Amino acid sequence: MTDEPTLQNSDHEFTHKHLLGLADYSKEDILFVLEQAKYFREILDRPVPKVPTLRDKTIVNLFYEESTRTKLSFELAQKRMGADVLNFSKSSSSVKKGESLKDTIRNISSMKIDMVVSRHESPGVPHFLTRCVDAAIINAGDGAHEHPTQALLDMFTMRQVYPDLTNKNIAIIGDIAHSRVVRSNVIGLLKLGANVIVCGPKTMMPAYVHELGVEVSHNIDDVLGWCDIAMALRIQLERQEDGTQLFPSIREYHKLFGITMKHLEKYPDFTIMHPGPVNRGVEMESEVADSDRSIILSQVTNGVAVRMAILYLLSGGSRV
């Protein structure tokens, strides 16, 4: 195997400079990215899981919001590809001294960087960055707006189970209103022809939920009996701005919307996913997360491969 990827579907012209959200990507674009990710997934199984495709690139991880999995996944992907990596931390930066986002990114850009991976609590920040610098911008999560690389890795993982997602039934269960993962997944899954239902308490449904083009349910048994894949989401208390209690108690939430071993026995066909972090005993029982029906750890591994593919393509890899 050569050091440079052999592009799949190479007749597709991938022209994107940025990944701001999946709303900007066509079905063909999404499938193209997922096909490239297969190559990088194979690299991760090598004795030396590295390829020097970004050895002349400098990438900044601009994380204004706390993250563990996403930041580590991007950094590992970058280092696996030989890039020079700079990590920005809000807590130890000049932001604490009053520096604006615009000044911060322009100062960083003056160091001659090629790409910026951005994570911010405010929607629209990645779009703003494209107007400030010439570097390629990758959205690693902006508020409750989008989280495109998470959705791409989720779809990649789903396609390992079902290579064609056309007419497959996908249920997303939990805190729909505050999740950027939901929005990106819904956009991507509908473009790939899947059927999507979102399920959760009425208080955790956004006002615009019907505009997403999905079905809405408040009964977990109905959706688990229907779906091929069930993706559970955590309750995102940090994004509930006014502190309003949206459910009576954790115990009550788990009783009504948590996936249990009884569900696995009653509905033997659906596969379990979760974008993480998993709150065991809330969105699912601990035994469910560790069961052979769960592909949660595959999502983590695949996340590195998918992010390697995106980094490669946005660095100009589609035009080698």
Side-chain angles (χ1 to χ4, degrees):
M1 188 175 293
T2 62
D3 284 336
E4 290 292 340
T6 300
L7 291 172
Q8 304 297 316
N9 297 332
S10 56
D11 56 337
H12 176 70
E13 186 177 0
F14 186 86
T15 59
H16 295 277
K17 180 180 179 180
H18 311 291
L19 176 59
L20 307 179
L22 292 189
D24 303 324
Y25 278 47
S26 67
K27 173 183 178 180
E28 291 72 24
D29 291 328
I30 293 170
L31 290 174
F32 185 72
V33 172
L34 298 181
E35 285 300 312
Q36 311 324 309
K38 291 180 181 179
Y39 170 86
F40 292 102
R41 181 62 185 84
E42 293 173 1
I43 287 176
L44 297 180
D45 289 328
R46 292 182 183 179
V48 180
K50 295 184 178 181
V51 60
T53 51
L54 297 181
R55 58 186 175 273
D56 59 343
K57 303 295 182 182
T58 301
I59 304 174
V60 174
N61 293 318
L62 189 71
F63 277 57
Y64 274 73
E65 189 179 53
E66 292 300 321
S67 169
T68 300
R69 284 160 312 286
T70 301
K71 185 175 182 180
L72 289 177
S73 182
F74 265 112
E75 187 173 354
L76 183 58
Q78 293 153 3
K79 291 181 176 180
R80 289 279 188 257
M81 301 172 77
D84 293 321
V85 181
L86 301 175
N87 287 310
F88 171 93
S89 174
K90 178 181 177 180
S91 61
S92 59
S93 72
S94 295
V95 172
K96 295 189 71 175
K97 303 175 184 177
E99 186 174 68
S100 69
L101 171 63
K102 184 176 182 178
D103 285 335
T104 295
I105 188 60
R106 284 187 167 176
N107 277 301
I108 292 174
S109 179
S110 68
M111 301 176 191
K112 307 303 179 184
I113 60 172
D114 300 290
M115 308 179 80
V116 176
V117 178
S118 167
R119 188 180 182 97
H120 202 282
E121 61 270 18
S122 299
V125 165
H127 294 76
F128 173 75
L129 294 178
T130 65
R131 300 193 295 271
C132 298
V133 296
D134 291 330
I137 306 297
I138 299 175
N139 182 2
D142 60 332
H145 177 231
E146 277 215 52
H147 194 348
T149 60
Q150 179 66 50
L152 288 168
L153 75 88
D154 290 339
M155 289 184 285
F156 183 89
T157 306
M158 291 177 191
R159 292 180 82 227
Q160 290 180 318
V161 181
Y162 299 107
D164 185 357
L165 294 180
T166 304
N167 289 325
K168 293 303 176 185
N169 297 328
I170 314 298
I172 305 177
I173 304 164
D175 187 356
I176 307 301
H178 300 95
S179 175
R180 53 194 168 204
V181 173
V182 169
R183 184 171 178 83
S184 288
N185 263 296
V186 166
I187 291 169
L189 288 167
L190 292 181
K191 287 182 179 182
L192 297 190
N195 307 310
V196 183
I197 282 182
V198 294
C199 176
K202 292 181 180 180
T203 53
M204 290 186 173
M205 290 292 168
Y208 60 83
V209 66
H210 293 286
E211 299 175 11
L212 293 175
V214 300
E215 297 294 323
V216 179
S217 174
H218 307 293
N219 187 306
I220 192 171
D221 278 274
D222 286 348
V223 301
L224 294 182
W226 167 84
C227 70
D228 298 301
I229 294 175
M231 181 184 297
L233 305 172
R234 71 181 179 90
I235 301 168
Q236 301 196 31
L237 296 174
E238 72 276 13
R239 296 203 181 100
Q240 297 174 20
E241 296 176 358
D242 58 4
T244 302
Q245 184 71 16
L246 300 179
F247 50 91
S249 66
I250 292 293
R251 180 178 179 182
E252 184 73 9
Y253 178 87
H254 178 69
K255 179 180 178 181
L256 294 176
F257 297 101
I259 303 175
T260 67
M261 291 301 292
K262 289 183 179 178
H263 286 132
L264 269 60
E265 295 169 6
K266 188 175 181 180
Y267 309 111
D269 298 324
F270 71 89
T271 299
I272 300 152
M273 298 179 66
H274 195 301
V278 178
N279 291 312
R280 294 170 181 257
V282 183
E283 54 262 26
M284 64 181 66
E285 290 180 343
S286 185
E287 294 83 0
V288 171
D290 296 331
S291 72
D292 58 6
R293 300 266 291 277
S294 169
I295 53 174
I296 295 172
L297 291 181
S298 293
Q299 289 174 264
V300 178
T301 305
N302 292 338
V304 178
V306 168
R307 286 166 177 135
M308 289 172 76
I310 281 293
L311 290 165
Y312 173 69
L313 292 173
L314 295 183
S315 71
S318 63
R319 293 174 288 280
V320 294

